[in-house]
Amino acid sequence: MSAELAGYAVSEANSSGRRRAEESPGIRTEFQRDRDRIIHSTAFRRLEYKTQVFVNHEGDLFRTRLTHSIEVAQIARSIARALRVNEDLAEGVAYAHDLGHTPFGHAGQDALNACMKEHGGFEHNLQSLRIVEELEEHYAEFDGLNLMYETREGILKHCSPRNARELGELGRRFLENRQPSLEAQLNNYADEIAYNNHDIDDGLRSGLITLEQIESVELVATHLKVVREKHPGLGGRRLIHETVRRLINAQALDLIRTSEAAIREVGIETLEDVRAASRLIGFSAEMHAALQPLKVFLREQLYWHYRVLREMAKARKIIEDLFDAFMNDPRLLPPQYLARCADDKPRVIADYIAGMTDRYAMKEHRRLFAIPGA
Ligand code: MG
């Protein structure tokens, strides 16, 4: 595959490599090895029981962080292949991009960030990096996964100037306004394409939104119309899926064509050209505009639906209660976390809480606060 890579793709030849030198992985490429390390990590398996939008116990068919990440990887690989950049790198970044998410999705992240306000804050993206750099305990000779520079760069999507200064080499691009690889750039869009579309599907499945409501979004209505014309009388799940697959396809194709044109127009030839140029991956102005009403619709009708908000309010309470209980008495922590508390108690507590799955957090809350027989 590497023979077909474009000159501006990340490759082993132009990579900045690993922090710790390791023996060559043999039959795999270095970026395949990274992807495999991520799949075998503990944090990756936890994604199965972490909320995307719907709390895990609400239904077996809703997306979880794990199935979301797999969908992101599928879309990222398709885009990477079309642009002739490094598919293995794009896939690895996709699998790792949400590793640092707390239980209960964004409500959990916001609650933990508020708890950590006086202690450096909590940011799920930075936590993803922390997991692969420090927290995974898999290897005899080092902490974390010792991933390639470009994989770590792709995981760190955004970063405050303060955090960027602390991160050194990896944070520099945020201070110098340089771009990451195309593989990293395309992952942000693969993430967006995945959730905008699977949230339509999950929203309809949950009954919190209806097909009639979502037809008010022109982009969705356009594709629904095509499906209805081609398959008169089609309804139910098939009608939804036929529409959603067309939506995904249209967005991915638009992204590929627009990005290809930008790469050509700027005359990009090398990875260094990519880093020095302005952002090359993106939707056309038309697609960007067409997506805005969809995002507004999903926010107002789904993410802010009172039934979703009720779950999120409970989630916030669970996170706050756990954080306060451990801060007030760290001896309530499992011994391996208590042992690390001497270094930085709030951060160790945040690591413990962030690593929890939804159901583990609920169980831990019961173990700490439920009074038997009451
Ligand atoms: Mg994501």
Side-chain angles (χ1 to χ4, degrees), residues 135-154:
L135 299 180
E136 279 289 324
E137 296 175 326
H138 268 244
Y139 297 93
E141 292 177 340
F142 47 80
D143 289 335
L145 305 179
N146 193 35
L147 300 177
M148 298 289 274
Y149 175 86
E150 295 74 15
T151 308
R152 297 188 292 125
E153 170 194 65

Side-chain angles (χ1 to χ4, degrees), residues 35-84:
R35 177 204 55 203
D36 299 348
R37 285 185 174 185
I38 292 160
I39 289 176
H40 288 272
S41 70
T42 310
F44 186 70
R45 285 196 298 285
R46 287 177 169 158
L47 295 176
E48 184 174 3
Y49 298 106
K50 289 193 176 200
T51 293
Q52 182 66 27
V53 172
F54 293 93
V55 179
N56 189 258
H57 59 256
E58 288 185 277
D60 290 346
L61 292 176
F62 297 123
R63 269 67 176 188
T64 65
R65 286 271 160 214
L66 180 65
T67 61
H68 161 71
S69 300
I70 293 171
E71 289 183 31
V72 174
Q74 178 271 314
I75 294 168
R77 284 184 57 181
S78 298
I79 299 168
R81 189 179 294 197
L83 296 176
R84 294 190 303 124

Side-chain angles (χ1 to χ4, degrees), residues 224-326:
L224 254 175
K225 187 161 169 270
V226 172
V227 177
R228 281 181 173 139
E229 276 169 11
K230 194 161 182 226
H231 306 285
L234 192 71
R237 301 295 324 155
R238 290 177 203 257
L239 175 64
I240 295 166
H241 183 69
E242 284 286 350
T243 306
V244 170
R245 79 183 181 97
R246 282 172 170 78
L247 279 162
I248 295 175
N249 210 35
Q251 288 162 56
L253 269 180
D254 179 272
L255 188 85
I256 291 163
R257 289 191 181 129
T258 310
S259 307
E260 264 173 352
I263 291 166
R264 231 184 355 242
E265 208 168 290
V266 184
I268 298 294
E269 285 178 8
T270 66
L271 180 57
E272 177 49 33
D273 292 345
V274 170
R275 296 190 186 287
S278 54
R279 206 156 258 267
L280 293 159
I281 304 285
F283 291 119
S284 65
E286 300 77 51
M287 182 58 83
H288 178 79
L291 284 167
Q292 300 318 304
L294 175 60
K295 290 183 188 182
V296 172
F297 176 89
L298 288 171
R299 189 170 60 229
E300 291 178 355
Q301 306 300 322
L302 184 61
Y303 311 146
W304 292 350
H305 192 286
Y306 82 98
R307 278 172 51 200
V308 174
L309 293 180
R310 283 180 180 189
E311 292 305 311
M312 295 305 120
K314 280 187 268 184
R316 258 197 307 278
K317 169 120 180 74
I318 292 173
I319 301 284
E320 287 163 6
D321 285 351
L322 291 177
F323 188 84
D324 290 345
F326 296 133

Side-chain angles (χ1 to χ4, degrees), residues 52 65 68 72 97-98 157 191 195:
Q52 182 66 27
R65 286 271 160 214
H68 161 71
V72 174
H97 86 284
D98 273 350
K157 288 182 185 181
D191 189 18
Y195 66 68

Side-chain angles (χ1 to χ4, degrees), residues 123-134:
E123 212 281 305
H124 67 85
N125 194 226
L126 206 55
Q127 189 71 5
S128 300
L129 188 68
R130 186 166 157 76
I131 286 169
V132 301
E133 294 203 328
E134 292 178 47

